[in-house]
Amino acid sequence: MQLGGNAIALYANFFRVGHNASEFVLEFCQSYQEGGEERDSTHIVARIVLTPAGASELHALLGDSLDQLLGQRALSTQNNRY
Protein backbone atom coordinates (compact mmCIF):
# COMPACT_ATOMS: atom_id res chain seq x y z
CA MET A 1 0.00 0.00 0.00
CA GLN A 2 1.31 3.45 -0.86
CA LEU A 3 0.39 6.69 0.85
CA GLY A 4 -0.58 9.53 -1.42
CA GLY A 5 1.33 12.77 -1.24
CA ASN A 6 -1.68 14.46 0.36
CA ALA A 7 -2.20 11.87 3.14
CA ILE A 8 -2.47 13.49 6.56
CA ALA A 9 -2.36 12.14 10.10
CA LEU A 10 -4.89 13.41 12.62
CA TYR A 11 -4.74 12.95 16.39
CA ALA A 12 -7.83 11.62 18.16
CA ASN A 13 -8.32 10.99 21.88
CA PHE A 14 -12.10 10.50 21.97
CA PHE A 15 -14.26 8.21 19.82
CA ARG A 16 -17.93 7.64 19.11
CA VAL A 17 -19.56 4.73 17.30
CA GLY A 18 -23.05 4.53 15.88
CA HIS A 19 -24.72 1.96 13.67
CA ASN A 20 -27.86 0.94 11.86
CA ALA A 21 -28.71 -2.22 9.92
CA SER A 22 -26.45 -1.36 6.97
CA GLU A 23 -23.55 0.72 8.27
CA PHE A 24 -21.28 1.66 11.16
CA VAL A 25 -20.28 5.28 11.70
CA LEU A 26 -16.99 5.90 13.53
CA GLU A 27 -16.25 9.43 14.73
CA PHE A 28 -12.71 10.33 15.69
CA CYS A 29 -12.58 13.41 17.91
CA GLN A 30 -10.21 15.70 19.77
CA SER A 31 -11.36 16.45 23.28
CA TYR A 32 -9.66 19.03 25.49
CA GLN A 33 -10.29 21.72 28.05
CA GLU A 34 -10.53 25.16 26.45
CA GLY A 35 -8.40 28.03 27.73
CA GLY A 36 -8.28 26.98 31.38
CA GLU A 37 -12.06 27.05 31.55
CA GLU A 38 -13.96 24.27 33.30
CA ARG A 39 -15.74 23.53 30.00
CA ASP A 40 -14.60 20.65 27.82
CA SER A 41 -14.50 21.04 24.06
CA THR A 42 -14.85 18.12 21.62
CA HIS A 43 -14.35 18.44 17.88
CA ILE A 44 -14.87 15.71 15.27
CA VAL A 45 -11.73 15.46 13.12
CA ALA A 46 -12.82 12.51 10.97
CA ARG A 47 -15.96 10.44 10.35
CA ILE A 48 -15.64 7.01 8.72
CA VAL A 49 -18.63 5.04 7.45
CA LEU A 50 -18.18 1.25 7.13
CA THR A 51 -20.29 -1.69 6.10
CA PRO A 52 -20.80 -4.32 8.81
CA ALA A 53 -18.23 -6.51 6.99
CA GLY A 54 -15.71 -3.65 6.99
CA ALA A 55 -16.36 -2.97 10.69
CA SER A 56 -15.80 -6.66 11.44
CA GLU A 57 -12.48 -6.61 9.55
CA LEU A 58 -11.38 -3.45 11.40
CA HIS A 59 -12.34 -5.08 14.72
CA ALA A 60 -10.18 -8.13 13.90
CA LEU A 61 -7.22 -5.99 12.79
CA LEU A 62 -7.34 -3.82 15.92
CA GLY A 63 -7.66 -6.91 18.12
CA ASP A 64 -4.64 -8.55 16.48
CA SER A 65 -2.57 -5.37 16.81
CA LEU A 66 -3.49 -4.95 20.48
CA ASP A 67 -2.69 -8.60 21.20
CA GLN A 68 0.74 -8.15 19.59
CA LEU A 69 1.44 -4.93 21.50
CA LEU A 70 0.35 -6.35 24.85
CA GLY A 71 2.32 -9.54 24.20
CA GLN A 72 5.44 -7.49 23.47
CA ARG A 73 4.96 -5.48 26.66
CA ALA A 74 4.54 -8.66 28.70
CA LEU A 75 7.76 -10.10 27.23
CA SER A 76 9.60 -6.83 27.86
CA THR A 77 8.44 -6.80 31.49
CA GLN A 78 9.54 -10.42 31.99
CA ASN A 79 12.97 -9.74 30.44
CA ASN A 80 13.56 -6.75 32.75
CA ARG A 81 13.16 -8.84 35.92
CA TYR A 82 16.28 -9.94 37.77
Side-chain angles (χ1 to χ4, degrees):
M1 177 184 313
Q2 294 180 341
L3 289 177
N6 60 353
I8 59 172
L10 299 171
Y11 175 78
N13 63 355
F14 181 77
F15 312 92
R16 294 190 290 204
V17 178
H19 66 88
N20 60 34
S22 61
E23 62 191 18
F24 279 80
V25 178
L26 309 177
E27 292 181 335
F28 297 83
C29 309
Q30 293 177 351
S31 181
Y32 53 90
Q33 214 172 35
E34 258 185 59
E37 296 177 11
E38 301 263 335
R39 190 178 69 128
D40 284 337
S41 179
T42 301
H43 303 280
I44 298 170
V45 294
R47 181 178 287 133
I48 308 294
V49 180
L50 301 163
T51 63
S56 181
E57 185 175 345
L58 177 61
H59 178 262
L61 286 168
L62 285 172
D64 290 347
S65 292
L66 283 169
D67 289 345
Q68 288 175 6
L69 175 67
L70 296 175
Q72 289 171 359
R73 285 186 179 171
L75 286 175
S76 176
T77 301
Q78 290 174 356
N79 290 337
N80 289 333
R81 291 185 184 161
Y82 292 82

